[in-house]
Amino acid sequence: MKPKIIQYSPQYKHDLLEISLEWLNKYNILEDVDIQMLTHPEEIIQNGGYILLSIDEHSRATGMVMLENNKDSFEILKLGVRQEAQGQGIATCLMNAAIEIANAVKKNKLTLCSNHQLVTALHIYEKLGFQYVTYSQNHFALSDISMELTL
C-alpha cells in the first residue's frame, strides 16, 4: 500500500526530531545544525521551502523530507524513515513527492549533500536520476557527497 504523503503541520514537530535522530545517531553524523533545523522547522517553510511527511493508517508520521528553498532549486534535507517502517518504499514516495513539488513551482534542480555511509539513501537518489557532482561544503561538516537532479 502506497503511503499517504502530507505537508508538515505543527502537530508533527516532535516526529521530525524522532525520525531524524534515529538515523543521525545510528551513523554518528548528528551535528548542531541538525538540531537547529529540526527544532525550528517553521524556518524552512517561512523561507519558501516544504516539509513532507509520510503518514500511516493511524496518522503516525513514518518518514519525512525537508526541501530548503535556494532560488532556482530546492536542497533535499533530512530524508528519513522510522526503522520499523523501512523497506516499504516510503523514502522513494517522499522523494517522488519532492520532485513533483519542485516541478510544480518551476525549480530547475534538486540538490543534496549526504554521507557515504547512507548507502540505502544514495541508492534511492541514484534510481531517481540524481547525479554525483563535485562535493562543495554546505551546512554539514560530516557530509562528503553532493548530488543533483536537473528538472
Side-chain angles (χ1 to χ4, degrees), residues 41-134:
E42 62 283 349
E43 291 177 9
I44 293 282
I45 296 165
Q46 289 166 356
N47 292 324
Y50 294 82
I51 301 171
L52 304 176
L53 297 159
S54 60
I55 303 298
D56 68 14
E57 63 275 6
H58 306 292
S59 296
R60 181 171 182 249
T62 56
M64 62 164 289
V65 65
M66 294 177 156
L67 288 73
E68 182 179 59
N69 187 24
N70 291 318
K71 295 181 185 158
D72 66 341
S73 67
F74 281 134
E75 182 174 357
I76 300 293
L77 301 168
K78 303 293 161 274
L79 175 65
V81 175
R82 291 184 191 275
Q83 182 79 35
E84 68 270 15
Q86 292 179 1
Q88 301 173 31
I90 293 170
T92 300
C93 287
L94 284 164
M95 285 300 298
N96 281 327
I99 292 167
E100 286 176 24
I101 288 174
N103 280 321
V105 299
K106 309 282 192 247
K107 295 294 184 180
N108 294 329
K109 66 182 173 179
L110 290 173
T111 64
L112 63 89
C113 288
S114 190
N115 182 284
H116 69 277
Q117 298 177 83
L118 305 176
V119 176
T120 302
L122 295 173
H123 180 68
I124 290 167
Y125 303 142
E126 290 168 0
K127 279 189 349 190
L128 292 171
F130 279 78
Q131 302 291 314
Y132 290 91
V133 295
T134 302

